[in-house]
């Protein structure tokens, strides 16, 4: 899986921004539509800011001409021109603030909409999607890639338009006011632009590589911290440090290469711009001496030249940031275009009270999408009467967990039929189907909030009294009340502050609160001590009352009292019967498994 991920990442690095990429970027801009009028106001303020900015050098030049007595401006007195300049500066400041504020409001709200849609789409994607992705990579998409798009929409795009306006407006003004000096300057600039564009392409390519490498460091960081207990148990701290150092090394190398190129570009721009200033001032000085232009006109021209040079120097970087954001939108679109879980009965709802909970598997075949060469289930036939307790036994990899995953429709069977109360699973909406089923896993995963929040996850509308009653039935209320904060006790990341038995009882309480018709138990007592096992087993017995129960058996001694045991081997049911019946078959697989466990004990 990891190798496949790295191959996919490599492919992304080689992708150039194509027409399709720009179409994708335009599609992402549709998130601005709900705020289009506010964004239009921002553009208006941007234009006004650019206009006042372009008018400033001209008026300042007239101020200089007025000081020398050569001004033919509308306002002749130097004090009046100075007041006008102050008014222009104040207006520019106000327009700039309003531009930044309006763009910020629009961008923050639209990016929140994108994040919400991405998160919503992720939650509704099928399970096999997450088998092919790492959590760190997906987190990076919602954080880093959206942040790039946000930066572009809030500042970079506005800066791009402002620089274009300064560039075009400045050139038009100097061509009209001082054409001879303007043509001299324009003869110098084209080579500088070409060299800057070459540098810009190199910088963009390595900036994208740095971004992807940085995402890889996030993957390493999240994996090691999420599994910190495993890292410590295997004393692999130094290995993880080395893995993170290697990932950081890739980031540093590419970042240094990118920043070196950016430094060379900046050096080139500084040298070329100052050299151009010297050349233009030298040429303009001769024109002033010849009486071709006034000193104020030369002063204004130099300011316009600074505007034009600054715009030309900044455009490659700004355009590079825009291209990076376009690349980010392509990666975001990959998630938004993923097909959600298929739900043909989405609009159809069932009265859950009327469901009895009879489960039937008929000639079910299944192959995991990630392993198409290996058929995991081969013609499974399985009947669980309503209210019955059935166990699945067999060695690891026999297909026990897969049977459960198909019942929850985490995956779809390739062939055959699975039904509840005679109706195929597809007849139930996914929401209804999964409301019918409760799961108590072997490895309980809790959220990092309070005990109350974790129990109430089984029924978000449950009252406080119902939550407490569920905890009591799960034999959890006593240890909960022993905590100083009681139900408000924070369990920590994945429930690390609780023991295994405590976590199991919270999972049982959560299932009790859900009150499912069908219960799935993944041998919830297999890793507990004797005292915890007794409490958990007592809670499970209460939970299983009057429910169809499917148990994935790891310790065969715990399923002696179920109604029927199905023994699986290599994706097929090879034996079925009660514990007594199967144990008496001396050459049977179940009997051999029992003997092996007795010897191990």
């Amino acid at each position: 899986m990891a190798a496949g991920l790295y191959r996919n990442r490599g492919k992304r690095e080689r992708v150039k921004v194509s027409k399709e990429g720009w179409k994708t970027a335009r599609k992402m801009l549709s998130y601005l539509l709900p705020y289009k009028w506010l964004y239009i106001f921002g553009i208006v303020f941007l234009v006004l800011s650019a206009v006042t900015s372009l008018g400033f050098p001209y008026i300042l030049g007239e101020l200089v001409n007025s000081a020398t007595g050569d001004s033919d401006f509308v306002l002749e007195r130097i004090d009046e021109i100075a007041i006008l300049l102050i008014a222009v500066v104040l207006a520019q400041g106000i327009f700039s603030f309003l531009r930044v504020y309006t763009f910020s409001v629009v961008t923050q709200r639209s990016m929140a909409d994108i994040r919400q849609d991405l998160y919503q789409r992720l939650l509704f994607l099928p399970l096999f999607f997450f088998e092919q992705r790492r959590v760190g990579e997906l987190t990076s998409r919602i954080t880093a890639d959206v942040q790039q798009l946000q930066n572009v929409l809030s500042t970079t795009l506005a800066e791009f338009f402002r620089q274009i306006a300064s560039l075009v407006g400045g050139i038009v003004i100097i061509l009209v006011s001082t054409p001879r000096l303007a043509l001299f300057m324009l003869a110098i600039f084209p080579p500088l632009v070409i060299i800057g564009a070459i540098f810009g392409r190199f910088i963009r390519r390595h900036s994208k590589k740095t971004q992807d490498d940085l995402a890889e460091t996030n993957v390493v960081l999240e994996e090691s911290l999420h599994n910190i207990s495993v890292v410590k148990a295997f004393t692999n701290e130094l290995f993880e440090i080395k893995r993170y150092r290697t990932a950081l090394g890739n980031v540093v190398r590419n970042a240094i290469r990118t920043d070196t190129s950016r430094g060379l570009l900046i050096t080139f721009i500084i040298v070329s711009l100052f050299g151009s200033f010297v050349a233009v001032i030298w040429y303009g000085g001769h024109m002033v001496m010849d009486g071709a232009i006034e000193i104020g006109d030369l002063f204004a021209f130099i300011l316009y030249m600074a505007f034009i040079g600054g715009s030309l120097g900044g455009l490659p970087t700004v355009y590079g940031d825009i291209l990076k954001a376009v690349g980010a939108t392509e990666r975001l679109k990959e998630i938004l275009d993923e097909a959600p879980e298929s739900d043909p009965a989405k609009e159809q709802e069932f009265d859950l009270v009327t469901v009895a909970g009879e489960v039937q598997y008929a000639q079910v075949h299944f192959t995991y999408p990630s392993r198409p060469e290996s058929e995991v289930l081969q013609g499974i036939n399985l009947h669980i009467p309503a209210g019955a307790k059935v166990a699945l036994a067999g060695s690891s990899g026999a297909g026990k967990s897969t049977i459960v995953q198909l019942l929850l429709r985490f995956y779809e069977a390739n062939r055959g039929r699975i039904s509840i109360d005679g109706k195929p699973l597809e007849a139930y909406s996914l929401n209804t189907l999964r409301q019918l089923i409760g799961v108590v896993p072997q490895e309980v995963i809790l959220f990092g909030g309070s005990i109350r929040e974790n129990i109430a996850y089984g029924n978000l509308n449950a009252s406080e009294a119902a939550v407490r009653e569920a905890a009591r039935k799960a034999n959890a209320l006593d240890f909960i009340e022993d905590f100083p904060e009681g139900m408000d006790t924070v369990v920590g990341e994945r429930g690390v502050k609780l023991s295994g038995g405590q976590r199991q009882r919270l999972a049982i309480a959560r299932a009790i609160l859900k009150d499912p018709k069908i219960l799935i138990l993944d041998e919830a007592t297999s890793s507990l001590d004797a005292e915890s096992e007794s409490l958990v087993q007592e809670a499970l017995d209460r939970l299983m009352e009057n429910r169809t129960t499917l148990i994935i058996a790891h310790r065969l001694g715990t399923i002696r009292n179920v109604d029927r045991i199905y023994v699986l081997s290599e994706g097929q049911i090879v034996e079925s019967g009660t514990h007594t019946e199967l144990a008496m078959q001396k050459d049977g697989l179940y009997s051999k498994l029992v003997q092996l466990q007795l010897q191990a004990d």
Side-chain angles (χ1 to χ4, degrees):
M1 188 192 310
L5 175 64
Y6 295 140
R7 285 195 295 270
N8 291 338
R9 286 168 61 80
K11 289 178 183 176
R12 284 201 300 269
E13 287 163 11
R14 291 190 292 270
V15 172
K16 295 181 179 180
V17 178
S18 59
K19 290 183 179 179
E20 190 63 32
W22 288 108
K23 288 181 181 178
T24 299
R26 285 196 294 271
K27 182 178 178 180
M28 299 301 287
L29 290 177
S30 64
Y31 281 89
L32 297 175
L33 289 179
Y35 318 102
K36 60 183 177 182
W37 291 113
L38 192 57
Y39 201 76
I40 288 172
F41 278 123
I43 293 175
V44 170
F45 294 134
L46 172 65
V47 172
L48 292 174
S49 175
V51 169
T52 53
S53 176
L54 287 171
F56 181 80
Y58 176 76
I59 300 173
L60 195 59
E62 292 301 329
L63 181 66
V64 173
N65 284 336
S66 176
T68 60
D70 295 323
S71 175
D72 55 358
F73 192 52
V74 176
L75 301 175
E76 295 183 357
R77 295 177 55 191
I78 189 170
D79 295 340
E80 294 173 341
I81 299 176
I83 293 172
L84 177 60
L85 273 174
I86 293 173
V88 168
V89 170
L90 289 174
Q92 185 182 5
I94 293 170
F95 294 145
S96 296
F97 168 77
L98 292 174
R99 166 181 65 83
V100 171
Y101 177 77
T102 52
F103 282 158
S104 174
V105 171
V106 170
T107 303
Q108 292 293 341
R109 291 177 179 174
S110 58
M111 292 305 101
D113 292 342
I114 290 179
R115 285 191 171 98
Q116 180 66 35
D117 283 357
L118 285 168
Y119 181 63
Q120 180 174 314
R121 176 53 58 94
L122 283 173
L123 290 185
F124 283 103
L125 289 178
L127 201 60
F128 68 81
F129 171 84
F130 297 95
E131 291 181 350
Q132 300 170 4
R133 303 292 195 281
R134 288 181 172 181
V135 173
E137 183 193 11
L138 297 176
T139 303
S140 177
R141 296 292 158 257
I142 296 181
T143 53
D145 286 343
V146 174
Q147 185 64 48
Q148 273 201 346
L149 187 58
Q150 178 176 316
N151 291 341
V152 165
L153 290 178
S154 61
T155 56
T156 308
L157 201 58
E159 184 66 16
F160 179 74
F161 289 141
R162 189 190 68 80
Q163 290 185 1
I164 290 292
S166 297
L167 178 63
V168 175
I171 290 175
V172 169
I173 290 173
I174 61 175
L175 282 172
V176 172
S177 59
T178 50
R180 182 176 158 192
L181 193 56
L183 292 174
F184 176 80
M185 185 203 74
L186 292 176
I188 301 173
F189 268 71
L192 309 182
V193 175
I194 293 172
I195 296 174
I198 294 172
F199 270 106
R201 287 187 62 184
F202 184 83
I203 291 171
R204 288 194 300 272
R205 184 170 66 251
H206 285 281
S207 293
K208 190 171 186 296
K209 181 69 170 62
T210 301
Q211 178 194 348
D212 285 342
D213 286 338
L214 190 58
E216 179 59 28
T217 65
N218 290 337
V219 169
V220 175
L221 182 65
E222 289 202 19
E223 279 189 343
S224 58
L225 294 182
H226 277 165
N227 302 290
I228 188 64
S229 59
V230 177
V231 173
K232 289 183 175 297
F234 286 88
T235 63
N236 277 335
E237 292 93 340
L238 294 179
F239 169 76
E240 293 299 335
I241 290 171
K242 182 179 179 182
R243 197 158 69 104
Y244 189 66
R245 185 186 297 118
T246 301
L248 279 179
N250 293 332
V251 173
V252 170
R253 279 193 297 274
N254 278 293
I256 290 174
R257 191 178 294 117
T258 303
D259 292 340
T260 301
S261 302
R262 188 177 286 113
L264 290 173
L265 177 60
I266 292 172
T267 301
F268 169 76
I269 290 172
I270 291 173
V271 172
S272 58
L273 282 179
F274 279 99
S276 301
F277 275 121
V278 172
V280 168
I281 292 172
W282 167 78
Y283 190 74
H286 279 283
M287 292 180 66
V288 171
M289 292 170 62
D290 295 340
I293 58 173
E294 303 296 335
I295 185 66
D297 297 332
L298 177 60
F299 185 72
F301 186 92
I302 293 171
L303 290 179
Y304 279 119
M305 184 179 171
F307 275 39
I308 294 168
S311 299
L312 279 174
L315 275 176
T317 301
V318 173
Y319 185 64
D321 290 339
I322 292 174
L323 288 184
K324 285 194 290 184
V326 171
T329 62
E330 291 184 273
R331 291 188 289 272
L332 296 176
K333 187 173 179 291
E334 287 177 9
I335 295 177
L336 293 173
D337 286 349
E338 286 285 344
E341 290 179 296
S342 174
D343 195 358
K346 187 173 183 179
E347 303 302 324
Q348 186 175 357
E349 296 294 337
F350 283 82
D351 183 0
L352 301 184
V353 177
T354 64
V355 177
E358 179 191 18
V359 178
Q360 181 91 36
Y361 288 71
Q363 285 297 311
V364 174
H365 292 255
F366 177 71
T367 301
Y368 281 104
S370 57
R371 304 193 302 271
E373 72 285 348
S374 176
E375 191 173 40
V376 180
L377 299 181
Q378 304 173 29
I380 293 294
N381 291 297
L382 179 64
H383 179 235
I384 309 175
K389 297 172 180 58
V390 169
L392 301 177
S395 57
S396 178
K400 303 186 297 294
S401 297
T402 303
I403 288 176
V404 168
Q405 290 176 327
L406 293 182
L407 183 61
L408 286 161
R409 284 191 64 194
F410 287 163
Y411 300 93
E412 303 291 343
N414 301 122
R415 283 185 288 156
R417 184 175 186 266
I418 307 175
S419 62
I420 295 178
D421 288 0
K423 298 182 181 69
L425 295 187
E426 294 77 17
Y428 300 85
S429 70
L430 282 174
N431 185 58
T432 300
L433 174 67
R434 292 170 184 171
Q435 281 183 351
L436 287 171
I437 303 171
V439 181
V440 180
Q442 181 181 16
E443 183 184 352
V444 176
I445 297 176
L446 299 178
F447 294 91
S450 68
I451 289 177
R452 177 187 291 102
E453 290 168 342
N454 275 282
I455 296 176
Y457 206 75
N459 182 355
L460 299 177
N461 298 317
S463 64
E464 177 71 16
V467 171
R468 292 184 65 83
E469 178 62 15
R472 186 191 65 77
K473 288 182 177 180
N475 287 336
L477 192 57
D478 287 344
F479 83 76
I480 292 172
E481 291 181 338
D482 285 341
F483 290 125
E485 294 85 8
M487 283 285 183
D488 294 319
T489 301
V490 175
V491 302
E493 186 75 20
R494 300 168 70 90
V496 295
K497 294 183 179 180
L498 304 179
S499 69
Q502 290 171 335
R503 289 197 297 270
Q504 287 287 4
R505 280 177 276 172
L506 289 189
I508 293 170
R510 188 163 59 191
I512 290 173
L513 198 62
K514 184 176 183 180
D515 192 22
K517 294 290 183 178
I518 300 169
L519 180 64
I520 296 170
L521 301 179
D522 190 358
E523 193 64 72
T525 64
S526 62
S527 58
L528 302 179
D529 58 71
E531 182 181 357
S532 296
E533 181 178 349
S534 175
L535 291 169
V536 170
Q537 189 60 55
E538 183 181 337
L540 287 174
D541 291 339
R542 292 197 192 104
L543 177 59
M544 288 188 287
E545 289 177 0
N546 303 317
R547 303 182 203 278
T548 304
T549 305
L550 182 59
I551 304 171
I552 299 176
H554 300 282
R555 292 168 57 186
L556 303 181
T558 64
I559 57 172
R560 293 175 180 271
N561 299 321
V562 300
D563 299 311
R564 196 164 193 82
I565 300 170
Y566 290 91
V567 185
L568 283 87
S569 177
E570 297 181 354
Q572 295 179 320
I573 294 176
V574 294
E575 295 172 13
S576 67
T578 65
H579 172 78
T580 303
E581 292 170 349
L582 294 174
M584 290 177 64
Q585 299 176 15
K586 299 304 180 182
D587 295 328
L589 177 58
Y590 183 81
S591 178
K592 292 179 180 178
L593 291 173
V594 171
Q595 292 300 319
L596 286 172
Q597 288 198 2
L598 287 174
Q599 293 171 11
D601 293 339

